Amino acid sequence: MPLFRLTLMTIFRRKAWAVCAFLVLVMPFLLPQLSSGTENPALLKPALAQAAWGMAWLSTVFWGFFAASKAGEKLSRSGLGEYFHSSGISATRQLLEIWSSLMVYIAPLGLAAALVCIFAASPAAPDERSMWITTNFQYALLFVLVVAPLVALAVAIASRFGGLTGFIVPAGLTFYGLYGVGYMKLLLSIEGNPLLSWLWSASPHYHFADPTERLRYKLGAIEWSQFPLLLAYFGGISLLYIALSRLLFRVKATA
C-alpha cells in the first residue's frame, strides 16, 4: 500500500495531528479554568466532558477535513494519482488508501475524548460511572461512523473541484447536521412549511452523534434497543456518501 504509507508519513511529518491531540487531551482541562466552571465544583466535570467532545469535533472539522481535502487535491493535480494508476493501482484503491491513512489520525480523536471523559469526569456513584463509560464508548463509535464517510467525501470533492470546495462541503454538512437541523426544527414548529419539513427529514441528523447534552445532564447511555437503529441510520448515510465519493473521485485533474 504505497499511497497509504506516503500519505501516512506526510501527515505525520507535518505534525498538525499533535496539535489536535493537545486540543483533545489537554485543552478540556484548561478551558473550565477560564470559565465559570471552577466556581461551582458540580459543573466542573460536565464542563470537562463537553470541552473534550467539542475539541474532538472541532479538530476533525478544521484539521481532519482540511488534511483530507489537501490530500485529494494534491493527488490529482500533482500527477501522483495518474502515476499510481499507471502502476496498476485503481482509483478505488487510491481513494481507499488515502482515506485509511487519514482515519489513522482522525478516528482516535473520538476515542481520546471518550477516555478523557471516563478517566477525568466520571461520576462517583458506581452505577452512574458504569453508564457513563457505556455512553462514551457508544458515542466514540458513532463519531467514527459519522466522520469516516465525510473524510472520503472531502478527498473525492477536492480531487475534482479543488481543496477549498473539498473542505467547505463536509464542514458545512457537519455543522448543519450538528446545529442547523435544530434551528430548522424550531422554524418548523413556528411555520409548518411542507418543503422545509421534507428538507428536515432528508437532512443528516448528526446531532444524534453528539453526546454533550446527554453527558451534561447525565441522561444515561442510549438504549440498546435503539442503538442499532442509530447505527443503521448513520450506516445508510455512509453508504450514500461512499458511493458519491467514488463517483466524484478522480486521479487526474481536468486540463
Side-chain angles (χ1 to χ4, degrees):
M1 301 178 70
L3 189 53
F4 171 82
R5 292 193 296 270
L6 177 62
T7 308
L8 191 73
M9 293 309 299
T10 300
I11 296 173
F12 180 80
R13 289 173 180 172
R14 287 175 179 169
K15 299 294 189 297
W17 58 269
V19 177
C20 295
F22 174 83
L23 291 176
V24 178
L25 295 173
V26 178
M27 283 300 290
F29 297 95
L30 301 179
L31 290 176
Q33 305 299 324
L34 303 177
S35 65
S36 59
T38 55
E39 297 178 4
N40 186 349
L43 299 178
L44 186 59
K45 288 185 176 181
L48 195 152
Q50 183 174 356
W53 279 104
M55 290 296 102
W57 281 105
L58 289 176
S59 297
T60 299
V61 172
F62 288 107
W63 172 74
F65 295 162
F66 176 79
S69 63
K70 291 296 291 183
E73 181 182 42
K74 183 178 180 181
L75 182 80
S76 63
R77 295 194 176 183
S78 67
L80 195 61
E82 192 175 7
Y83 165 76
F84 281 115
H85 193 266
S86 64
S87 301
I89 302 177
S90 66
T92 301
R93 181 176 169 183
Q94 289 188 43
L95 177 60
L96 178 62
E97 289 192 21
I98 294 176
W99 172 83
S100 300
S101 63
L102 289 161
M103 290 305 296
V104 168
Y105 295 96
I106 296 173
L109 294 177
L111 179 60
L115 292 177
V116 168
C117 292
I118 290 170
F119 289 106
S122 290
D127 54 340
E128 290 186 1
R129 178 180 174 83
S130 176
M131 190 68 71
W132 184 272
I133 293 172
T134 302
T135 304
N136 277 281
F137 279 123
Q138 284 180 335
Y139 278 97
L141 178 58
L142 292 177
F143 173 86
V144 174
L145 193 57
V146 165
V147 303
L150 290 169
V151 170
L153 192 63
V155 174
I157 292 175
S159 71
R160 182 175 291 266
F161 301 111
L164 181 61
T165 307
F167 169 75
I168 289 177
V169 171
L173 284 171
T174 303
F175 284 124
Y176 172 69
L178 287 173
Y179 309 109
V181 291
Y183 291 106
M184 184 172 291
K185 185 177 181 180
L186 180 62
L187 184 61
L188 278 172
S189 65
I190 299 174
E191 180 183 352
N193 189 307
L195 179 61
L196 287 179
S197 179
W198 177 87
L199 184 60
W200 181 84
S201 300
S203 298
H205 291 261
Y206 291 144
H207 56 93
F208 289 135
D210 180 17
T212 52
E213 182 175 350
R214 186 173 289 270
L215 294 177
R216 185 191 308 150
Y217 298 110
K218 296 183 180 180
L219 299 179
I222 303 170
E223 294 291 337
W224 289 112
S225 60
Q226 299 177 359
F227 192 62
L229 296 177
L230 278 178
L231 294 179
Y233 173 73
F234 289 124
I237 295 177
S238 298
L239 292 176
L240 175 63
Y241 285 175
I242 289 170
L244 183 60
S245 298
R246 181 58 193 92
L247 181 66
L248 292 174
F249 182 71
R250 63 188 308 151
V251 297
K252 180 181 178 181
T254 56

